[in-house]
Amino acid sequence: MNKLIPTQQTREGNLLVSGRDLHEFLEVGTRYDIWFNRMKKYGFVENIDFLLVVQKRSTNNPKNPFTDITDHHIKISMAKEIAMLQRNKKGKEARSYFLELERKWNSPEMVMKRAMDYLNDQVDKLQTSNLLLEQQVNELKPKATYYDMVLQNKSLLSVSKIAKDYGMSAMKLNKLLHELGVQYKQGDIWLLYAKHQDKGYTQTHTHVIDADKSKVQTKWTQKGRLFIYELLKQQGFLPLIEREEYAS
């Protein structure tokens, strides 16, 4: 049978036709909105038997280039009853058409096809969800790995040890921290600028070499190590452990 009236399938598995397409096919002389309101009086319920649809249509009026057109997407069962109510040749033709659509729609082959389509759609959604979850885990994993490593270590660290995390020399890291406004050099020792001194990032100790000679050493706490991590990450510097995670 030729496709007399276009149909569309919903995600819920319902087959719908446009009320305006049906109105046109039945060659109803009454204006569509008046005709459809009359049809509703036969007991059809919105959102159960039909859906209200408002569409934009272009006009020839420059001041109002678009206008709203009311349509209805109606279920085949409703369309079939409306066709019967017409009591004319076009109504009979439409009813036969809808009966044939229902027969094909409810055939075992079509039921199985819809079930497979639904299953494939759910599998696609699940795969997308899993891929998104995997990406989110991988995005968080490098940070968690480095944080875990830092938090497990309670000892003080020399700048050379932290620099090693990034695959750079102590000299380069000290210079970078200076350029980022963290520290400055006073004689042979790097000191923090005042705004960072009370944050608990470093501890300074004096190492006695002999009676006449001593050396001041500044070491970083684990809190300071995490401060450097966050600061350098903003500048695009990642520790080696995270680069390895991203590369894998």
Side-chain angles (χ1 to χ4, degrees):
M1 179 180 290
N2 294 328
K3 193 172 184 179
L4 301 179
I5 305 172
T7 61
Q8 58 180 305
Q9 178 183 346
T10 68
R11 291 183 177 180
E12 293 76 22
N14 294 316
L15 201 58
L16 306 177
V17 298
S18 161
R20 286 190 175 272
D21 287 344
L22 179 58
H23 175 264
E24 181 180 354
F25 177 80
L26 294 173
E27 299 177 353
V28 178
T30 309
R31 199 174 68 192
Y32 174 74
D33 56 341
I34 297 175
W35 170 78
F36 192 83
N37 285 332
R38 189 168 68 235
M39 292 298 101
K40 287 195 297 183
K41 294 179 181 179
Y42 286 94
F44 301 117
V45 180
E46 185 174 355
N47 296 326
I48 296 179
D49 301 301
F50 66 90
L51 299 172
L52 175 65
V53 180
V54 179
Q55 300 173 330
K56 292 287 185 181
R57 296 282 179 89
S58 59
T59 68
N60 294 322
N61 186 347
K63 294 183 178 180
N64 296 293
F66 296 98
T67 185
D68 291 336
I69 299 295
T70 299
D71 194 2
H72 301 85
H73 289 171
I74 61 181
K75 292 182 179 179
I76 294 298
S77 57
M78 176 178 172
K80 184 173 60 177
E81 291 189 49
I82 289 178
M84 292 174 60
L85 291 170
Q86 306 311 303
R87 297 184 178 87
N88 56 30
K89 182 179 178 181
K90 297 295 289 187
K92 290 180 180 179
E93 188 177 354
R95 180 175 179 273
S96 297
Y97 170 68
F98 292 137
L99 285 171
E100 180 64 12
L101 279 182
E102 282 186 324
R103 185 189 68 79
K104 292 181 178 179
W105 186 253
N106 295 321
S107 66
E109 295 81 8
M110 286 300 296
V111 171
M112 180 62 71
K113 181 181 183 302
R114 290 198 299 276
M116 292 302 297
D117 289 344
Y118 175 79
L119 181 60
N120 290 334
D121 182 59
Q122 294 303 307
V123 169
D124 288 342
K125 289 180 179 178
L126 182 60
Q127 289 176 340
T128 300
S129 178
N130 288 340
L131 290 173
L132 178 60
L133 180 60
E134 181 181 350
Q135 175 172 312
Q136 291 172 335
V137 169
N138 288 334
E139 287 171 348
L140 294 173
K141 185 177 179 182
K143 179 177 179 180
T145 301
Y146 188 75
Y147 263 61
D148 288 344
M149 182 182 70
V150 171
L151 295 176
Q152 288 172 6
N153 190 338
K154 303 300 181 182
S155 61
L156 297 174
L157 300 168
S158 65
V159 71
S160 60
K161 176 63 176 69
I162 298 176
K164 188 176 179 181
D165 289 346
Y166 295 86
M168 63 177 68
S169 65
M171 184 182 297
K172 181 177 180 181
L173 179 57
N174 277 327
K175 182 180 179 182
L176 184 57
L177 292 175
H178 172 64
E179 292 172 350
L180 293 174
V182 175
Q183 62 181 13
Y184 64 98
K185 197 169 187 180
Q186 182 68 31
D188 295 327
I189 184 172
W190 286 98
L191 300 175
L192 298 182
Y193 283 109
K195 63 180 179 180
H196 298 299
Q197 290 176 359
D198 62 348
K199 301 296 192 299
Y201 295 157
T202 61
Q203 288 186 19
T204 303
H205 299 276
T206 301
H207 174 63
V208 178
I209 299 175
D210 56 33
D212 299 319
K213 190 174 183 181
S214 63
K215 184 177 181 181
V216 178
Q217 291 182 323
T218 298
K219 292 196 174 183
W220 290 83
T221 65
Q222 298 302 323
K223 183 179 180 180
R225 188 182 187 184
L226 291 179
F227 163 71
I228 292 175
Y229 167 69
E230 294 290 355
L231 179 66
L232 295 188
K233 185 171 67 172
Q234 294 174 6
Q235 305 299 319
F237 295 93
L238 294 175
L240 295 177
I241 189 173
E242 290 195 13
R243 293 182 225 169
E244 291 168 0
E245 289 289 340
Y246 281 119
S248 61

